[in-house]
Amino acid sequence: MSEVKEEMPTINRRHSGTVHSLKISIKRRRTGEFIARNSMLTDLFQVSHIKCVRNAFAAGFIIMILRHMVNDFLHYGRLNWTFELLSLTVGKLHIVVLVWTLMTLSASFGVYYGSYMWTHHRRSDGINSRNVVIGSYDMIWLTIYICYLAGLMVIPCWQIIYHQLPLVSSAIIIAEQLRLLMKVHSFVRENVRKMSKQTISASDQQLSHLHQYLYFLFVPTLIYRDTYPRTSTIEWNVAWKMFGQFLLLLILVYQLIAYYWMPVFAQCFAVNEITLEFVITAIFDLMLPGTLIIILTFYGFFHCWMNGFAELLQFADRMFYEDWWNFTSAATFWRSWNVIVHDWLYVYVYKDLTTIFSGSRNLSTACVVILSAIFHEYFMIVSLGFLSPILIAWFGLFGMAFRFAFPQTKGSQWNILLLTFIPICAGIIPFLYALEVSARSSPSERESFSKMTSTSSKQSKSDL
């Protein structure tokens, strides 16, 4: 331990503020607080003992890729990588770009200039003469705002259904839709709060500037502020490194899904009767690759993707996650896994519900958990094209049960227990969705699915 402590680095960045040590970076932050700090793994990887763990993962994946290459050359005399899964799930990207562009433009200029019109006319002498008139005027703009949010929810979904977009293309649109919804709501709420504290004769300049809002739309945070801590320069080597790692991780995730998950999914389409033995075997076969997919997705998105964009935009607060791997309670995990969304839910949902429910924290927490489960299920419904409330049941019911059953537990035994549920979730959830897809598929779709997975199944068997 003494050797590890000696290697604990300081954050050597070009921040305008004070340099923070690793100990400050690890301690619990205040929600909505923005200070210059690195991501936790950025600092931990400067410790040789921790960096060795990442290198071990990299070595393991290199061996996995070499294994596939060697087997291909031994059995086929060439590389025999299949891309049927990629062609099936990704397509019509011109529609994706068009829908994303229209959503972004409406969220950028439509929302800002709508807010400007509300602010400007609200301060005119005619509007401000009586509070009753102000209330009616605000209700009109509130109705317009709600209609805009409804349009932002409905129109992209309609385009997905109309153009029959594949899985990944649909998921990209829905992910961006939810991101813009939360961004827009944060901007409107913060400016409404700011305007409500000002006098009637205040200057129009008190509304946030357009360049501040446009910057907020692309920085990796969902809490709006007029200013954020910034770095003085862009380290292009860091940005290229982050995006390069993200691309490599995408390839690894694809390999895991195509060669380890798809053969198991193919069995769901092939069997005539679902037996208990088949269910247990399939779930355990999905657990290990599912856990690796979760780890790679976390590292690729929350560390590489977020840090890459933060570097390009000189965004200095890199606290996108905390040490969720040390969690001993479900509440700690949800706070630490995705800090960005957690902060938004806490500021704009939990605190409002606590006020509405007269300070009832448990009821507010339950509503936040259910709302989060609903939006996760909404993401899956639109992406997959059918309703199967698996995530609502799993995260809404089981997640809530764990949240209240283990509120403030401590000790390594609880960390082991809760870490065990990660591979269990990684096995059960995809298996249930595979069963649902199999049950809903027509015979022709079953043949198409079996054809797509046949190459993966043969490859997996040859490896064994």
Side-chain angles (χ1 to χ4, degrees):
M1 287 298 294
S2 61
E3 294 178 359
V4 175
K5 290 180 180 179
E6 290 176 0
E7 290 194 66
M8 287 297 182
T10 58
I11 301 177
N12 186 19
R13 297 286 296 168
R14 297 97 50 229
H15 299 315
S16 57
T18 305
V19 175
H20 302 277
S21 67
L22 182 61
K23 184 180 294 186
I24 296 178
S25 177
I26 288 179
K27 77 172 186 178
R28 297 298 171 190
R29 81 210 192 295
R30 296 175 57 187
T31 301
E33 173 191 56
F34 292 95
I35 61 174
R37 53 192 164 189
N38 285 342
S39 293
M40 185 169 294
L41 289 178
T42 301
D43 291 324
L44 289 177
F45 285 152
Q46 297 181 43
V47 181
S48 60
H49 305 285
I50 305 298
K51 189 176 182 179
C52 179
V53 177
R54 183 189 64 177
N55 296 341
F57 269 94
F61 287 116
I62 290 173
I63 293 175
M64 183 187 75
I65 298 298
L66 288 175
R67 176 191 178 190
H68 285 294
M69 295 175 64
V70 170
N71 275 279
D72 285 345
F73 281 110
L74 290 177
H75 291 86
Y76 306 103
R78 58 180 176 81
L79 289 177
N80 192 40
W81 291 0
T82 174
F83 296 97
E84 286 86 355
L85 178 62
L86 185 65
S87 61
L88 184 70
T89 56
V90 181
K92 301 181 180 179
L93 294 180
H94 62 288
I95 303 297
V96 176
V97 173
L98 178 61
V99 174
W100 178 84
T101 301
L102 294 177
M103 287 194 303
T104 304
L105 289 176
S106 68
S108 301
F109 300 101
V111 171
Y112 180 81
Y113 285 109
S115 302
Y116 177 82
M117 291 174 61
W118 167 73
T119 303
H120 178 75
H121 294 291
R122 193 176 190 269
R123 292 160 188 242
S124 64
D125 294 335
I127 294 294
N128 288 327
S129 58
R130 293 188 302 173
N131 291 332
V132 176
V133 179
I134 294 177
S136 301
Y137 180 78
D138 290 344
M139 286 301 298
I140 293 173
W141 278 99
L142 177 61
T143 303
I144 295 173
Y145 174 63
I146 294 175
C147 291
Y148 169 77
L149 293 181
L152 189 57
M153 289 282 291
V154 172
I155 295 176
C157 296
W158 169 61
Q159 289 296 307
I160 290 173
I161 297 172
Y162 178 78
H163 294 285
Q164 292 295 298
L165 297 182
L167 174 62
V168 175
S169 300
S170 302
I172 292 173
I173 291 178
I174 297 304
E176 282 298 289
Q177 177 200 62
L178 295 176
R179 183 183 71 88
L180 290 174
L181 279 170
M182 290 187 283
K183 292 257 188 183
V184 165
H185 188 67
S186 178
F187 172 77
V188 172
R189 280 290 303 272
E190 294 298 333
N191 275 276
V192 167
R193 182 184 293 117
K194 182 169 59 174
M195 304 308 294
S196 65
K197 296 179 181 179
Q198 297 166 355
T199 61
I200 293 176
S201 59
S203 170
D204 290 340
Q205 296 298 322
Q206 291 169 335
L207 179 71
S208 301
H209 295 288
L210 177 60
H211 69 87
Q212 294 172 322
Y213 176 52
L214 293 178
Y215 179 78
F216 164 68
L217 282 181
F218 295 97
V219 293
T221 181
L222 296 174
I223 305 295
Y224 178 79
R225 297 289 184 267
D226 286 334
T227 59
Y228 297 98
R230 304 283 295 273
T231 58
S232 57
T233 59
I234 299 176
E235 289 190 1
W236 291 100
N237 60 324
V238 173
W240 285 112
K241 179 182 177 181
M242 291 293 105
F243 289 124
Q245 289 184 19
F246 177 78
L247 181 60
L248 289 175
L249 292 170
L250 279 182
I251 297 173
L252 289 175
V253 170
Y254 177 82
Q255 292 288 321
L256 288 170
I257 295 175
Y259 293 107
Y260 294 92
W261 265 10
M262 296 306 295
V264 180
F265 294 160
Q267 297 175 21
C268 297
F269 281 71
V271 297
N272 296 322
E273 182 181 358
I274 304 297
T275 63
L276 180 61
E277 179 183 0
F278 168 75
V279 171
I280 294 176
T281 302
I283 289 176
F284 274 94
D285 287 343
L286 292 170
M287 280 187 185
L288 178 57
T291 304
L292 292 177
I293 290 172
I294 290 175
I295 294 174
L296 293 178
T297 303
F298 161 76
Y299 182 76
F301 182 76
F302 289 106
H303 185 74
C304 298
W305 184 260
M306 293 295 183
N307 273 285
F309 266 97
E311 190 64 45
L312 289 179
L313 296 172
Q314 298 178 254
F315 185 73
D317 193 339
R318 312 290 172 89
M319 184 63 72
F320 309 125
Y321 54 87
E322 292 183 310
D323 54 334
W324 59 267
W325 47 86
N326 289 324
F327 72 110
T328 56
S329 67
T332 305
F333 174 78
W334 294 120
R335 284 196 304 265
S336 307
W337 169 266
N338 189 346
V339 165
I340 300 174
V341 174
H342 166 266
D343 283 359
W344 189 90
L345 289 171
Y346 179 84
V347 173
Y348 302 116
V349 180
Y350 176 81
K351 291 177 69 175
D352 289 349
L353 291 177
T354 303
T355 302
I356 294 173
F357 297 143
S358 302
S360 177
R361 295 185 177 182
N362 289 335
L363 184 58
S364 301
T365 300
C367 291
V368 170
V369 172
I370 293 174
L371 179 65
S372 177
I374 290 174
F375 275 98
H376 279 81
E377 192 61 62
Y378 163 77
F379 177 86
M380 298 301 296
I381 290 171
V382 181
S383 299
L384 294 173
F386 60 80
L387 170 62
S388 180
I390 296 173
L391 291 185
I392 290 180
W394 191 261
F395 291 109
L397 298 180
F398 289 100
M400 191 181 304
F402 275 102
R403 170 64 177 80
F404 291 106
F406 309 103
Q408 299 294 333
T409 54
K410 294 182 179 180
S412 59
Q413 67 275 15
W414 296 106
N415 181 243
I416 295 173
L417 174 64
L418 293 172
L419 282 174
T420 305
F421 283 96
I422 293 180
I424 292 176
C425 292
I428 293 179
I429 294 176
F431 177 75
L432 292 177
Y433 274 110
L435 283 183
E436 186 68 23
V437 172
S438 174
R440 292 173 178 269
S441 298
S442 63
S444 61
E445 291 174 329
R446 284 175 175 268
E447 293 174 3
S448 175
F449 187 90
S450 299
K451 181 179 179 181
M452 179 191 69
T453 56
S454 61
T455 306
S456 300
S457 299
K458 293 177 181 178
Q459 178 70 31
S460 178
K461 291 178 181 179
S462 67
D463 290 348
L464 295 175

